[in-house]
Amino acid sequence: MLTRSTKERLATLWVGIAGATTVLLAAALFTALFARAFPILQRYPLTALLFGTVWQPAKGLFGFYPFLLGSLWVTLTAMAVAVPLSLLTAIYLAEYAPATVRRTLNPLIDLMASVPSVVYGVFGVSVIVPCVGKLATFVQQHLPLLASEAPPTGYSVLAAGLVLALMVAPTIVAVAEEVLRSVPVSLREAALALGATAWETTRFVTMRAARAGIIGAVLLGFARALGETMAVLMVVGNVPRVPRSFFDPAYPLPALIANNYGEMMSIPLYDAALMMAALLLLVSAVAFNLAAQLVLRLTQSVGRM
Amino acid sequence: MRRRYWCDRIARIAMVMSVTGLISSLGALIAVVLAKGWQALDWTMLVRLPSGSYYLTGEEGGILNAIVGSSLLAIGATLLALPLALPVALLLQPDYAGRTRVAGALRILLDSLWGVPSIVYGACGFALMVALGWRASLLAGIVTLAGVILPLMVRAMDEVLRAVPKPMKEAAYALGLTRWETMRFVVIRQALPALVTVVLLAFGRAIGDAASVLFTAGYTDNLPRSLFDPVASLPLAVFFLLNSPFPEVQRQAYAAATVLLVSVLVISGSARLLAHRLSRFVVR
């Protein structure tokens, strides 16, 4: 029979060990990827890897530039769609919507976040890709300046951007809504009392007070979009070339890793190159997350003021 | 004056359009997947393994391997993450390290881990697997998935435990309970409904995650016999079947996607419902 103080000590030990394990887990994540990517970093200088444009593993050419740009194109397209859409939604939910509407819509937004990534991919393949394909054909016939040189299949940057926009919107909405809600009501009352319209209050008072937090929400969305794998992989076309138009196929970093894990052990340095891609993703995701947390913490201190 | 009025109007219309756009995309997504899947869904495929000419014609076979695989992976990952997540969440409370810088640093670390893409966990799991000499297996998949859901479980539990009223803890301490007894008999009891919701939501996330099990759990047509056998999973079944050039097989992908979507919706729906029902037993 354990005494009460022994139980207490055991529990404290358990809590301490669990905390240490979490830290170790984070360290292991970085160390394992770095150790596996090390051979390629040793062989080529970092700039040659990041700015090399040729990807031919069999010949020992590992240029990440097309993949980095592919990720950037797809993510920026997604953000261009998702940011206005989700900020307007967040403003509506936080400032305008009556309580009953909010109580119905918020669970739906949560539901949107819990739909698995492959299901978004299935939706993308069966609905968004054909639509984008029709648009691409139209553009190719009537607006050759914007068109892609590739055949207009619909598997493109634009399709991936649209699917991703739907996937990251719930994250941005949830964080931005919470931030807007933390702005003191007295600020709004002051603006309304001075004769500002509802939109003017939102635009010049609430949004300005919540500015840092909204940037944080967008950064979180960006980080999420950058690492999303399966849905993008299914609709983006996977051609390792730098895209020149929204209707071009692209090949983002996560898709590169997911597509090639099968053959990576058969070619020298190939596995190191893929682990390097994972390391790049890890570093950029953590960087964006830290930046987002920093600005979110800044608004929290403003909110308390 | 006119202009200000119109600005207000236009902003409101833009907002309502955004909300409608988002919600109707969700509706379209569910409707399209369910409509396409429902036709292809044949109840016998839920209890049969892929066999014969399944990957050519989509006939004579099912997705039992993926259903069983996904369940085992998600249950295993939740059970593995739970005894690690709960103490870390306790550690973040003011009773343990909450007042120190350690808790702040740990929260930042966990939030960063939460944002790490699951494909990175997959790649890291693969690197560890190779280092340990494991093959792609149920165990490797469970470990990797547990890593994916651990940060979100801890942070959600942290929020839940922090919401427990301070006077309750003070009363417990005043009665001479130790820190652990306070946690065990007061804090965790009070937070239990919300904790159950957190666990269910993490379970739902684990079922739907594909990128992390892609390298680590492998894919097979058979049921696993032990922890060291590779297993299939529903998201990967959807992915592989949809990539098939045969339309009949692609229809099976929609059926699998329907099974996946419905189970995730049921899990997250019941998580919320359960939180509501169980909150009767909470002191307010």
Side-chain angles (χ1 to χ4, degrees), chain A residues 140-162:
Chain A
Q140 208 164 41
Q141 282 162 359
H142 301 282
L143 298 163
L145 212 62
L146 285 173
S148 110
E149 289 151 21
T153 52
Y155 289 91
S156 58
V157 171
L158 185 60
L162 289 175

Side-chain angles (χ1 to χ4, degrees), chain A residues 97-123:
Chain A
T100 45
V101 175
R102 205 167 57 223
R103 269 201 293 272
T104 351
L105 290 188
N106 270 335
L108 286 180
I109 302 276
D110 286 347
L111 204 65
M112 217 171 156
S114 65
V115 171
S117 157
V118 261
V119 177
Y120 276 104
V122 168
F123 180 65

